[in-house]
Amino acid sequence: MAEMNRVSWKSPSNIAIVKYWGKKGVQLPMNPSLSFTLNHCCTETSIEYKTGNGSIDFFYEGQQRQDFLPKIETFFKLIELPFFAELDLIIHSKNNFPHSAGIASSASSMSALSLCITEIEQKLYNKEFNFLQTASKRARMGSGSACRSVYPKAALWGNTLYVPHSSDQYAIDFSSELHNDFIELQDYIFLVSQQEKYVSSSAGHQLMNKHPYQYARIEQANNNIVQLMSSLKNGDWELFQKVCEEEALSLHALMMSSSPGYLLLDSDSIKIIKSIQQFRADSKTMISYTIDAGPNIHVVFPKNAKSSIDQWIQSDWNDYLLDNRIIRDQIGNGPLKMI
Ligand code: PMV
């Protein structure tokens, strides 16, 4: 294979409602998690490949970034595909959301990379396999949450007694389990801080190994998965909201009660949460929030609440609107193979 070949995928980020927090073994989760696949926040990655001796050139948004290589090389070691040592790769990657937005891009970037790699394997070996499941398993090696990004709408990762084919090794498609009310769920991301987090997610996961509440957390997440699945199937907004917010606050409570403890929330994160609570009490609008491992607030709501929420933002959060600090996202249809 003297000539260059090319594969390319665009893959979205996802937002977990029941959070993955804590690992065991090789990138396996301590507890099951369930997420919605986003539509707007994506990474597009292409790989050009030809026979060679394992060289990798990596370009991020057009700039060669060899400083990203250690992470990519570790990833290639973990996925154990020896034939990559006999290929030369040129990888181009770009995000369609600002790098400085404070949004984790590891889920979208690692899923896009894994989809490309899985397609190369399929092309070279004409192999029959479950493409998305294989890509999900590999994406997990790069970033746990990335394994959920390969599916449309919603994904479940982690073994749970209540879902027969669930696995710690890869995520499974959960899109067919959503009640109509959740299919067009909206996610407006309030960008509270654009700064890099001072404690990474990897460090946070590690702190769960000796966390005083480790077992209680595993039990809580397993209970919340059952409740969340039930709310999603039955269109039970009240139950969804309860689980969604309990998980968001628990994630940050686990960070605060780690040893050493740390705090990723900002004063604006609290202000937005209180404003949501007040607006909900006054207007009875279906609105909830979730939070990733950072200060940004994801405001989630069904599509029919959109105009009421747009009005609330205009009146109470106009400064965020004017500063372009709200990304209006929603549930999406999963990765796209590019030409
Ligand atoms: O995928 P990681 O290792 O970056 O961990 C992400 C963990 C959370 O985003 C906080 C929760 C989740 O399930 O996505």
Side-chain angles (χ1 to χ4, degrees):
M1 192 176 44
E3 81 285 7
M4 270 292 183
N5 293 275
R6 186 172 182 276
V7 292
S8 181
W9 282 86
K10 184 173 172 183
S11 190
S13 184
N14 68 75
I15 179 69
I17 303 301
V18 171
K19 314 285 181 182
Y20 145 59
W21 201 237
K23 308 183 197 201
K24 58 187 184 191
V26 184
Q27 288 281 108
L28 297 169
M30 270 185 193
N31 64 266
S33 57
L34 205 161
S35 61
F36 289 114
T37 305
L38 295 179
N39 187 45
H40 176 71
C41 297
C42 291
T43 299
E44 198 175 316
T45 296
S46 67
I47 304 185
E48 291 167 334
Y49 60 100
K50 67 173 171 59
T51 307
N53 45 27
S55 76
I56 302 176
D57 287 302
F58 184 82
F59 294 81
Y60 179 69
E61 285 172 2
Q63 304 283 327
Q64 185 151 22
R65 293 290 299 269
Q66 296 307 85
D67 53 319
F68 281 40
L69 277 188
K71 192 160 187 208
I72 295 175
E73 281 164 357
T74 308
F75 171 66
F76 273 101
K77 269 194 201 119
L78 283 173
I79 60 174
E80 294 178 333
L81 289 176
F83 63 87
F84 272 100
E86 286 157 31
L87 296 178
D88 285 340
L89 309 180
I90 303 173
I91 306 175
H92 281 270
S93 195
K94 62 178 186 212
N95 293 342
N96 71 348
F97 49 93
H99 186 55
S100 60
I103 297 183
S105 59
S106 58
S108 53
S109 59
M110 283 301 169
S111 55
L113 184 62
S114 301
L115 287 157
C116 287
I117 285 166
T118 307
E119 193 187 339
I120 294 175
E121 184 185 15
Q122 198 176 46
K123 282 197 155 130
L124 290 180
Y125 295 99
N126 239 333
K127 263 189 168 174
E128 282 292 318
F129 50 56
N130 182 331
F131 185 83
L132 291 182
Q133 189 170 299
T134 308
S136 173
K137 190 171 173 177
R138 292 192 181 135
R140 184 197 102 223
M141 297 297 193
S143 162
S145 57
C147 75
R148 298 184 309 240
S149 273
V150 305
Y151 298 108
K153 296 187 174 68
L156 170 75
W157 173 37
N159 196 19
T160 161
L161 284 177
Y162 302 92
V163 181
H165 301 292
S166 58
S167 171
D168 284 350
Q169 299 281 335
Y170 45 79
I172 59 172
D173 187 348
F174 202 74
S175 58
S176 61
E177 306 293 322
L178 301 184
H179 186 278
N180 266 348
D181 290 0
F182 285 102
I183 278 182
E184 292 185 305
L185 197 86
Q186 309 287 300
D187 178 4
Y188 283 7
I189 310 165
F190 280 55
L191 304 174
V192 168
S193 166
Q194 328 252 334
Q195 275 169 8
E196 188 125 339
K197 311 182 270 207
Y198 79 102
V199 180
S200 68
S201 287
S202 319
H205 286 296
Q206 247 180 32
L207 288 169
M208 284 308 289
N209 292 336
K210 292 194 176 146
H211 200 288
Y213 305 145
Q214 187 197 98
Y215 292 103
R217 166 59 192 158
I218 294 170
E219 196 183 337
Q220 179 197 38
N222 276 283
N223 288 336
N224 278 345
I225 276 283
V226 176
Q227 294 189 58
L228 178 62
M229 291 192 303
S230 153
S231 74
L232 294 177
K233 276 183 195 166
N234 301 322
D236 183 342
W237 179 266
E238 251 174 56
L239 182 59
F240 172 81
Q241 182 193 306
K242 177 189 113 39
V243 175
C244 187
E245 296 176 11
E246 187 178 308
E247 279 288 315
L249 297 178
S250 294
L251 172 69
H252 285 266
L254 288 164
M255 293 173 192
M256 291 178 216
S257 51
S258 291
S259 179
Y262 62 106
L263 182 61
L264 295 185
L265 298 176
D266 200 275
S267 54
D268 262 16
S269 318
I270 314 283
K271 228 171 115 184
I272 296 164
I273 291 173
K274 298 225 161 182
S275 169
I276 290 169
Q277 288 169 339
Q278 190 62 54
F279 168 63
R280 183 163 63 205
D282 294 345
S283 68
K284 309 285 177 247
T285 302
M286 290 195 236
I287 179 172
S288 187
Y289 64 85
T290 185
I291 324 171
D292 245 339
N296 298 329
I297 303 295
H298 290 245
V299 178
V300 291
F301 52 94
K303 200 173 182 187
N304 61 17
K306 199 166 183 292
S307 64
S308 158
I309 284 162
D310 282 339
Q311 272 172 28
W312 163 70
I313 290 175
Q314 213 142 43
S315 75
D316 291 23
W317 293 99
N318 205 31
D319 51 337
Y320 267 66
L321 213 51
L322 294 175
D323 283 351
N324 283 327
R325 286 169 67 187
I326 301 176
I327 296 182
R328 291 180 150 95
D329 213 336
Q330 59 184 316
I331 285 195
N333 288 325
L336 210 61
K337 182 171 152 51
M338 309 298 279
I339 302 177

